[in-house]
Amino acid sequence: QVQLEESGGGLVQAGGSLRLSCTASGRTFSIYDMAWFRQAPGKEREFVAAIHWRSGSTSYVDSVKGRFTISRDNAKNAVYLQMNSVKPEATAVYYCAAGRSGSYFTRTFDSWGQGTRVTVSS
């Protein structure tokens, strides 16, 4: 497993942008599929975006397609979530996740960060 730490959350106005970062410990970051999940108040945690460890392929939940972008920098052991044109419904705690053995496809991850809170004001 890897240790994950998110940063970059905060308050943003609807229509604005925010960039979340997640840094990982360990020397094997590059072989992990990485993802972002979020949990809004009173709701279950949901998948937001993922990036494949080797191909760099990305996938997104439909509600963020075209507005959010997941990326990674293996040299920095980091994964990012660029959030553009944010909407109030994006208000949530965002979690970074890491996994192997097909996590990108199954959306099942076994290492999680503590989360960073994003609040979108209308």
Side-chain angles (χ1 to χ4, degrees):
Q1 291 188 341
V2 293
Q3 304 298 315
L4 303 172
E5 182 174 3
E6 303 94 338
S7 62
L11 177 64
V12 59
Q13 287 189 332
S17 297
L18 202 62
R19 188 195 195 205
L20 306 183
S21 299
C22 171
T23 55
S25 64
R27 296 176 293 177
T28 58
F29 172 79
S30 63
I31 65 173
Y32 281 84
D33 293 327
M34 300 298 298
W36 289 95
F37 287 73
R38 65 187 178 188
Q39 186 167 18
K43 295 187 177 181
E44 294 187 352
R45 186 170 60 190
E46 69 166 347
F47 169 83
V48 177
I51 186 165
H52 193 267
W53 72 275
R54 182 163 63 181
S55 67
S57 296
T58 57
S59 65
Y60 300 90
V61 65
D62 286 347
S63 60
V64 308
K65 285 181 179 178
R67 298 185 297 112
F68 289 14
T69 302
I70 186 172
S71 62
R72 66 190 298 161
D73 185 339
N74 289 336
K76 296 183 178 179
N77 276 16
V79 63
Y80 308 100
L81 185 68
Q82 178 67 43
M83 305 167 61
N84 297 330
S85 302
V86 294
K87 302 177 180 180
E89 50 263 41
T91 294
V93 177
Y94 284 72
Y95 297 91
C96 176
R100 297 184 63 189
S101 302
S103 290
Y104 175 81
F105 301 102
T106 64
R107 297 183 178 176
T108 301
F109 295 81
D110 52 19
S111 295
W112 296 84
Q114 295 298 307
T116 185
R117 185 175 301 276
V118 173
T119 302
V120 183
S121 62
S122 57

